[in-house]
Amino acid sequence: MDILQPAVYKEPAPILDKENPFESMMHRFDVAAHLLNLEPGVYEYLKTPVKQIIISIPIAMDNGEIKVFEGYRVIHNDILGPSKGGIRYAPDVSLDEMKALAAWMTWKCAIMNIPFGGAKGGVRCDPGKLAPLVIEKITRRYTANLLDIFGPDRDVPAPDMNTNEQVMAWIMDTYSMHLRRTETAVVTGKPQILGGSLGRREATGRGCMIVTLTAMEKLGLKPKDTTIVVQGFGNVGSTTAQLLAEKGCKIIGIGDVSAAYYNKKGIDLANASEWVKSSRTLAGFQGAERISQEELLELECDVLVPAAKEDQITHRNAAKIKAKIICEGANGPTTAKADPILQEKGILVIPDILANAGGVTVSYFEWVQDRVGYFWSLDRVNSRLERMMSEAFISVYESAERYKVSLRIGAYILAIDKVARTLKLRGIYG
Ligand code: GLU
């Protein structure tokens, strides 16, 4: 055997007992790579991130103290085009999480047929405890430290957990200040007045709504007879709930990090949003019965939308889930160990890399609009999003049928095959 050759890849590694998002991602990748009969060299290439950057972000706090935060940017792959992916601010941000999320972005963009690779970034901090001025300083220093990485043709960040349009505006401004000219296309998810796209804020939730309705149709579920539970009441969860309610579905359960609520007659979402606006979280909301976080996921319902964070549906609670459809609004809400349990139960899982791809799709629209300098109407954004989500759903569905696998593995197969074929055509430089 040629010792310079990477180990020959034979079959999926066993699922380890420890569940972390990167291992969960890698397990699905292994299964799909095995079915695709991926060459060992291509396998090695696609599993390894192109760049993994860790930076330190020193900040002078209000009281004069210096505090050092840790920031990350992982570029998983850029074979299809500039790498694309959000930036999250959270206390548990880690390199492993970034690696999983960056790879998911590669697969997501490939499935959606958008010309981007995948990346993810983040800063380990607790934004709920930081003054806006400190968040601005962190954002600007993070951007300045990554000036050589970011760029409209290189790597294009966007919002993710706990970052928003304002944070994107600071990134755009900091980058532009260093460039000595305004460069809007360096980041997406910006305020509309700064080159943001109409419909970007609701795009992830709208995409979830579109694929949920398609899946409901497959199962013969009519909106007016469909009950929905949504975990997470941030941008993705609240928009998905709202849009599905507008289609006639009944939202019977909602929850966020602070509390969960159930009302079998349907929850008044306008009231819930008003409540969150004034109190920041759902805790204390009236008009529904308070239940535990575990009960929320295990409610009797037709559709469950986990739109909060990773590792919510695990081998511990998967058997207790009663929904017929799971639409993964969050990235990685289901662990690899939970997959076979859900499949055994016959639950139709719309995988994250398809379900929540509406966000990056409208990010792509935003990038295109910024570069052309011509902005689209909301109708145009929404109808193109609808078309692309529906086409992607059909491709994933066909891939799953062809290989006789779940939609998740069907999605991975579709994505990995596309990136691998592109790699073959481009070849290896050097
Ligand atoms: N953070 C979002 C995601 O996970 C959007 C990324 C983007 O628009 O680049 O898909």
Side-chain angles (χ1 to χ4, degrees):
M1 191 183 133
D2 182 352
I3 53 162
L4 293 176
Q5 279 292 312
V8 174
Y9 165 69
K10 288 212 184 71
E11 56 188 44
I15 310 173
L16 300 171
D17 206 49
K18 190 169 153 267
E19 299 181 57
N20 95 5
F22 187 68
E23 282 158 8
S24 278
M25 189 285 295
M26 272 315 295
H27 182 76
R28 280 85 170 236
F29 175 74
D30 281 359
V31 173
H34 184 60
L35 290 168
L36 273 171
N37 219 352
L38 208 63
E39 262 176 53
V42 175
Y43 170 83
E44 283 295 319
Y45 177 88
L46 292 183
K47 78 170 215 207
T48 319
V50 169
K51 286 187 191 129
Q52 304 177 49
I53 302 147
I54 304 181
I55 54 175
S56 95
I57 305 171
I59 299 293
M61 306 296 279
D62 279 354
N63 59 5
E65 256 176 46
I66 296 172
K67 230 180 140 187
V68 181
F69 296 87
E70 194 157 84
Y72 305 86
R73 186 73 178 165
V74 171
I75 295 178
H76 172 259
N77 196 278
D78 55 1
I79 200 101
L80 293 179
S83 48
K84 189 82 190 78
I87 293 171
R88 63 173 54 179
Y89 290 171
D92 53 358
V93 161
S94 69
L95 187 63
D96 249 13
E97 183 195 33
M98 295 292 113
K99 280 163 64 183
L101 288 159
W104 279 323
M105 289 307 303
T106 303
W107 313 138
K108 215 182 280 189
C109 294
I111 289 172
M112 293 311 297
N113 266 321
I114 53 185
F116 288 143
K120 202 74 165 201
V123 178
R124 195 184 300 154
C125 65
D126 192 349
K129 296 201 180 116
L130 297 173
L133 198 66
V134 175
I135 297 179
E136 177 174 354
K137 283 186 182 178
I138 290 176
T139 305
R140 289 188 183 278
R141 187 66 189 247
Y142 175 83
T143 310
N145 283 3
L146 291 170
L147 275 186
D148 297 332
I149 298 296
F150 293 154
D153 290 307
R154 288 197 296 247
D155 180 37
V156 186
D160 198 81
M161 203 182 281
N162 299 327
T163 57
N164 55 17
E165 294 177 7
Q166 176 61 75
V167 172
M168 300 307 117
W170 290 326
I171 293 177
M172 194 282 266
D173 183 68
T174 308
Y175 185 85
S176 298
M177 284 294 149
H178 283 267
L179 216 66
R180 304 276 185 266
R181 66 179 164 80
T182 297
E183 179 58 89
T184 53
V186 68
V187 61
T188 60
K190 300 177 295 293
Q192 199 204 324
I193 199 170
L194 292 181
S197 175
L198 288 169
R200 173 62 184 86
R201 197 183 302 158
E202 301 79 25
T204 311
R206 182 169 289 279
C208 287
M209 178 271 283
I210 296 165
V211 291
T212 299
L213 291 182
T214 315
M216 281 163 50
E217 226 177 276
K218 293 254 175 231
L219 299 191
L221 287 170
K222 300 251 174 325
K224 67 172 185 20
D225 306 319
T226 303
T227 53
I228 313 250
V229 170
V230 182
Q231 183 206 35
F233 209 68
N235 176 21
V236 181
S238 64
T239 310
T240 308
Q242 186 58 45
L243 293 175
L244 284 168
E246 282 169 20
K247 296 285 173 190
C249 303
K250 198 195 282 179
I251 314 299
I252 58 164
I254 55 173
D256 69 2
V257 65
S258 70
Y261 291 93
Y262 167 66
N263 185 341
K264 71 167 190 286
K265 294 204 188 90
I267 291 169
D268 185 330
L269 293 172
N271 271 350
S273 294
E274 270 312 306
W275 178 262
V276 170
K277 227 181 255 164
S278 57
S279 355
R280 284 181 71 142
T281 62
L282 272 174
F285 170 62
Q286 303 293 315
E289 179 195 333
R290 179 142 183 191
I291 55 173
S292 71
Q293 300 286 0
E294 293 77 34
E295 285 168 322
L296 181 75
L297 295 175
E298 295 162 18
L299 280 174
E300 191 86 51
C301 65
D302 296 306
V303 181
L304 173 64
V305 184
K309 56 184 301 202
E310 295 104 81
D311 294 349
Q312 299 302 297
I313 303 175
T314 68
H315 65 289
R316 290 174 202 93
N317 62 359
K320 296 187 216 144
I321 294 202
K322 300 180 191 71
K324 300 183 181 83
I325 296 171
I326 295 177
C327 172
E328 296 186 335
N331 288 307
T334 308
T335 64
K337 275 175 141 184
D339 281 348
I341 305 172
L342 300 176
Q343 207 173 351
E344 178 97 338
K345 286 178 68 100
I347 301 176
L348 184 64
V349 179
I350 314 170
D352 47 6
I353 52 177
L354 167 65
N356 68 40
V360 73
T361 303
V362 177
S363 274
Y364 166 55
F365 296 164
E366 179 171 331
W367 179 81
V368 169
Q369 292 170 74
D370 286 341
R371 304 192 74 167
V372 176
Y374 175 76
F375 289 86
W376 306 354
S377 68
L378 183 59
D379 264 1
R380 175 180 280 207
V381 170
N382 286 346
S383 64
R384 288 188 175 182
L385 173 64
E386 170 132 25
R387 194 179 68 214
M388 287 177 68
M389 291 299 302
S390 304
E391 284 171 1
F393 188 99
I394 293 169
S395 309
V396 167
Y397 202 88
E398 286 175 355
S399 163
E401 283 198 320
R402 192 161 144 226
Y403 286 87
K404 302 193 179 16
V405 290
S406 63
L407 290 187
R408 184 181 324 277
I409 299 301
Y412 273 73
I413 289 178
L414 189 70
I416 294 169
D417 184 47
K418 177 166 182 191
V419 181
R421 279 188 294 121
T422 314
L423 171 66
K424 282 267 174 204
L425 285 171
R426 288 185 62 158
I428 302 286
Y429 175 72

